[in-house]
Amino acid sequence: MRYTVTVNGKTMNDEGMIMALLQEWQAVAYNEQTDKGRLQKFWQNYFLVEKSVYEKLLDHPEEEITGTVKELADRFGITLLDMTGFLDGINDSLENANPIDTMEEDTVVNLIFDKERLYRNMIDAKADWLYDLPQWDTILGTERKQELYLEQKKAGTVVKEDKIYPNDPCPCGSGKKYKKCCGKNK
């Protein structure tokens, strides 16, 4: 069984190696040994924390927020572990990605996000509690939100072409059967 301990403010795994914050987050958030009910409660609580941070960020979308992981956790009134999860989630939406794989509590990170990319990523993650936040109406406008929503939903849709059979009308519009026209050399 794997375990972690905290020594002098550093989390260490059962092999005595210092864990980066992301590893610590993943060990808690994706632990397969954790009771499903406890894990579900963990995620419900985390999503509430995540929503509160996004509400604050989206209230001031032009503000360029930077600081250490610890400073940002304190600024938003959340735990270091929750801030790590938040940074992991938003990283693909940032103008300049943070070094999440190696960050420690004193690593300087940023929350400077691309608005449209963030909105699309929220849709892709099916995080309606985030992409339905009222701040998006002010930031993007109702029409642009709808466009981005449709674009993102279509991006994940695979369009399968209808199979053309030899006796079907040729799709080129010639009026001939496919086998006597474009399908002749196939």
Side-chain angles (χ1 to χ4, degrees), residues 148-168:
L148 291 170
Y149 183 85
L150 292 174
E151 285 173 19
Q152 189 59 38
K153 287 296 184 180
K154 286 179 183 175
T157 304
V158 176
V159 178
K160 184 179 173 189
E161 296 287 325
D162 290 334
K163 181 164 174 46
I164 302 170
Y165 294 94
N167 288 326
D168 288 345

Side-chain angles (χ1 to χ4, degrees), residues 166-186:
N167 288 326
D168 288 345
C170 191
C172 75
S174 68
K176 297 179 183 178
K177 289 185 178 183
Y178 178 68
K179 69 183 177 184
K180 299 273 186 182
C181 190
C182 294
K184 196 177 219 177
N185 297 328
K186 296 201 183 226

Side-chain angles (χ1 to χ4, degrees), residues 6-7 13 18 28-29 31 33 92 94 100 132 138-139 156 164 169:
T6 303
V7 179
N13 66 16
I18 295 175
V28 173
N31 188 338
Q33 275 73 44
D92 289 340
L94 299 177
I100 60 168
D132 281 342
T138 306
I139 296 168
I164 302 170

Side-chain angles (χ1 to χ4, degrees), residues 19-27 84-85 88 100-103:
M19 295 175 67
L21 289 174
L22 184 63
Q23 291 173 307
E24 187 178 343
W25 163 256
Q26 291 170 338
T84 301
D88 183 28
I100 60 168
D101 291 331
T102 58
M103 69 183 177

Side-chain angles (χ1 to χ4, degrees), residues 99-173:
I100 60 168
D101 291 331
T102 58
M103 69 183 177
E104 297 294 335
E105 66 181 66
D106 58 350
T107 303
V108 176
V109 294
N110 79 85
L111 294 177
I112 304 167
F113 58 92
D114 178 288
K115 296 167 194 69
E116 290 190 0
R117 189 178 332 143
L118 177 60
Y119 190 74
R120 279 190 190 104
N121 287 340
M122 288 175 171
I123 294 165
D124 192 43
K126 297 175 179 59
D128 57 345
W129 65 94
L130 299 177
Y131 68 75
D132 281 342
L133 288 171
Q135 291 91 330
W136 284 116
D137 290 333
T138 306
I139 296 168
L140 298 173
T142 309
E143 190 173 308
R144 184 64 183 144
K145 273 179 41 182
Q146 185 64 23
E147 290 170 3
L148 291 170
Y149 183 85
L150 292 174
E151 285 173 19
Q152 189 59 38
K153 287 296 184 180
K154 286 179 183 175
T157 304
V158 176
V159 178
K160 184 179 173 189
E161 296 287 325
D162 290 334
K163 181 164 174 46
I164 302 170
Y165 294 94
N167 288 326
D168 288 345
C170 191
C172 75

Side-chain angles (χ1 to χ4, degrees), residues 78-93:
I78 63 176
T79 67
L80 194 58
L81 192 62
D82 285 337
M83 179 50 70
T84 301
F86 184 83
L87 290 166
D88 183 28
I90 197 173
N91 208 44
D92 289 340
S93 303

